[in-house]
Amino acid sequence: MKKTFAMLALCATGGIAAADIVTRWDFNSVPADGNTATGTLLPTIGSGTASGVGGVTATAFSSGDANGGSTDPVVNSATTSDSGWQVTGFALQGTEDKSRGVQFLTSTAGYMNIIVTFDQRHSNTSSRYYAGQYTTNGGASWITATIFEGTAGDTWFNNRTIDLSSVAAVNDNANFGIRVVGTFAPGTSGYVASSATATYAATGTARFDMVTVSGTIVPAPGMMAAVGLMGLAAARRRRA
Ligand SMILES: [Ca+2]
Ligand SMILES: [Ca+2]
């Protein structure tokens, strides 16, 4: 179904297919229970796994609406849920750079032009800096793509983007994943707090919402041939 749609999109736009959501986590309880302290780590769209990295405590959920809120369009109410996934138990000061946080593994089979977006809330004492990393081998090794800075505490930083559209190795890859891990202030060997008036603490929290892996469908060779023939036929019709 998706491939048919993509082919139509290719034809309609002359070759540029719109991005699809491959996998998304919104962490909202299913069924909705109106309780932001509960949620799910199962994706809302697609399939994949979400887990803590480096021994963090990764069992809590909290509001996706408070402190300005994430981009989750759902507003928590008696009959709806907008949870975010909250982790704590980060590294002690000066230790374990890029080692503690969260990871999301999902397959990009059939997709290219991969872009990952997510919303993240920093607590006051949370690390000001997090590294956005990706893996092409199921988490055996990680490559840092982006360093994110949270310039305030108890604040959501929405639509953070790890743009992997130029990284061919993440395309059509069943062993793809990303992780977001606390990292030292650039050029130093220590963490700084998100709030300018706070001190970094391992008990700080990071909360996540709307973790979304997007991509465009890899055109199959046969599909490209079909599109080419349709273009040729159209050109002949124009000449006739
Ligand atoms: Ca919301
Ligand atoms: Ca949510």
Side-chain angles (χ1 to χ4, degrees):
M1 186 65 193
K2 273 183 177 169
K3 288 192 173 170
T4 304
F5 175 78
M7 184 167 164
L8 290 172
L10 273 170
C11 296
T13 61
I16 300 169
D20 289 333
I21 295 173
V22 180
T23 315
R24 169 176 281 165
W25 288 262
D26 68 15
F27 309 108
N28 302 339
S29 296
V30 180
D33 60 5
N35 181 0
T36 58
T38 59
T40 181
L41 295 182
L42 297 174
T44 317
I45 299 172
S47 60
T49 61
S51 57
V53 176
V56 295
T57 301
T59 52
F61 296 89
S62 194
S63 178
D65 293 338
N67 303 127
S70 68
T71 62
D72 193 330
V74 178
V75 176
N76 201 78
S77 74
T79 55
T80 58
S81 286
D82 182 12
S83 303
W85 180 32
Q86 181 152 304
V87 300
T88 188
F90 285 89
L92 298 177
Q93 180 59 275
T95 70
E96 297 186 86
D97 185 32
K98 298 187 182 72
S99 299
R100 290 183 178 237
V102 292
Q103 76 173 31
F104 302 88
L105 300 179
T106 187
S107 172
T108 62
Y111 288 93
M112 58 190 291
N113 295 315
I114 303 301
I115 293 177
V116 181
T117 56
F118 63 98
D119 304 332
Q120 182 179 355
R121 177 189 179 275
H122 291 226
S123 73
N124 286 316
T125 61
S126 166
S127 178
R128 188 180 185 92
Y129 299 94
Y130 283 82
Q133 302 182 317
Y134 67 91
T135 181
T136 59
N137 53 23
S141 60
W142 296 89
I143 298 164
T144 298
T146 313
I147 302 293
F148 298 102
E149 180 182 9
T151 53
D154 289 354
T155 300
W156 281 97
F157 296 89
N158 294 340
N159 294 308
R160 287 185 160 174
T161 301
I162 303 173
D163 185 345
L164 303 172
S165 58
S166 63
V167 182
V170 304
N171 298 343
D172 194 25
N173 188 327
N175 298 307
F176 174 72
I178 64 117
R179 69 181 192 178
V180 180
V181 286
T183 187
F184 296 159
T188 76
S189 55
Y191 301 101
V192 295
S194 300
S195 166
T197 57
T199 299
Y200 171 80
T203 52
T205 62
R207 194 182 307 167
F208 297 87
D209 207 353
M210 300 298 277
V211 178
T212 304
V213 179
S214 301
T216 59
I217 291 174
V218 176
M223 190 188 303
M224 289 306 285
V227 170
L229 284 172
M230 289 168 79
L232 195 61
R236 281 180 177 148
R237 280 197 299 277
R238 281 196 296 274
R239 279 198 299 271

